[in-house]
Amino acid sequence: MSVKACLSALCLAIALPMSAPAFAQDEPQFRGEYNDWRVFTRPSDAGLICYALSRPSDSAPRAHEHGTVYFIVASWQSGAVNEQPNLLVGYDLRPTSPPEVRVGSSQFDMFTDGQEAFLDDLSDEPDLIRAMRRGSVMRVTATTVAGVATSYEFSLSGVTAALQRVEALCG
């Protein structure tokens, strides 16, 4: 299974209730809350997957049905993925208008895969994570398949502690 396909399965698992205890072995297990970020683990065929996620503190336009929106940073215990950023939205993203992530003066381009987006250039992942650890707010802009321009603001309060917990669990 490819990294992207496995993360897609991870993102589907996130839709399960987040505060409920895991009743089945493959359901995400809540591992901690760090201000605006939460940490979960989930077993997979490739070993444990650990991830930090946050919901936006602000979404625009307000009249648009955004569905469930998360920004996720995932690591695999196997080492196949380390601190991979990912946007998950509740609608199909327009591939010809890929999302952008901004933290301070740093900007990162993404590519879309249905309702998900990943960084266009994998070599940018450490730079985005470093910017997230140093920043206070992250802004993400995206476009729906229907052409609606959306934007999200994520608080970065707690992201460093959450990523340290992910590292402790899957490092």
Side-chain angles (χ1 to χ4, degrees), residues 14 43 61 74 88 100 128 147 150 154 167:
I14 290 170
L88 175 65
E100 289 182 354
L128 174 55
T150 60
F154 294 87
E167 174 65 24

Side-chain angles (χ1 to χ4, degrees), residues 114-136:
Q115 297 184 348
E116 298 178 83
F118 300 87
L119 286 187
D120 227 0
D121 186 346
L122 294 179
S123 67
D124 285 342
E125 289 178 352
D127 294 333
L128 174 55
I129 298 302
R130 196 170 17 263
M132 289 171 65
R133 288 176 184 261
R134 293 178 181 162
S136 60

Side-chain angles (χ1 to χ4, degrees), residues 29-32 34 37-41 51-52 162 165-166 169:
Q29 293 185 12
F30 177 72
R31 299 298 185 145
Y34 304 88
W37 288 77
R38 291 179 165 194
V39 174
F40 293 86
T41 58
Y51 55 98
R165 178 73 169 140
V166 166
L169 292 165

Side-chain angles (χ1 to χ4, degrees), residues 25-170:
Q25 185 176 0
D26 61 344
E27 289 184 11
Q29 293 185 12
F30 177 72
R31 299 298 185 145
E33 188 168 341
Y34 304 88
N35 294 333
D36 296 320
W37 288 77
R38 291 179 165 194
V39 174
F40 293 86
T41 58
R42 186 178 69 76
S44 76
D45 291 342
L48 197 62
I49 297 172
C50 304
Y51 55 98
L53 63 79
S54 186
R55 298 204 53 179
S57 55
D58 192 31
S59 302
R62 296 205 190 280
H64 178 68
E65 177 55 49
H66 297 269
T68 304
V69 177
Y70 295 107
F71 200 88
I72 304 159
V73 180
S75 293
W76 294 5
Q77 195 172 38
S78 69
V81 170
N82 186 42
E83 293 186 332
Q84 181 180 50
N86 167 244
L87 173 69
L88 175 65
V89 296
Y91 53 86
D92 285 335
L93 293 160
R94 179 181 275 182
T96 56
S97 302
E100 289 182 354
V101 179
R102 288 185 182 268
V103 181
S105 62
S106 300
Q107 176 185 326
F108 304 90
D109 296 323
M110 303 184 94
F111 71 90
T112 64
D113 183 15
Q115 297 184 348
E116 298 178 83
F118 300 87
L119 286 187
D120 227 0
D121 186 346
L122 294 179
S123 67
D124 285 342
E125 289 178 352
D127 294 333
L128 174 55
I129 298 302
R130 196 170 17 263
M132 289 171 65
R133 288 176 184 261
R134 293 178 181 162
S136 60
V137 174
M138 176 173 61
R139 291 178 177 81
V140 180
T141 57
T143 306
T144 71
V145 168
V148 176
T150 60
S151 64
Y152 304 99
E153 187 171 287
F154 294 87
S155 166
L156 296 174
S157 177
V159 72
T160 297
L163 292 177
Q164 287 171 342
R165 178 73 169 140
V166 166
E167 174 65 24
L169 292 165
C170 271

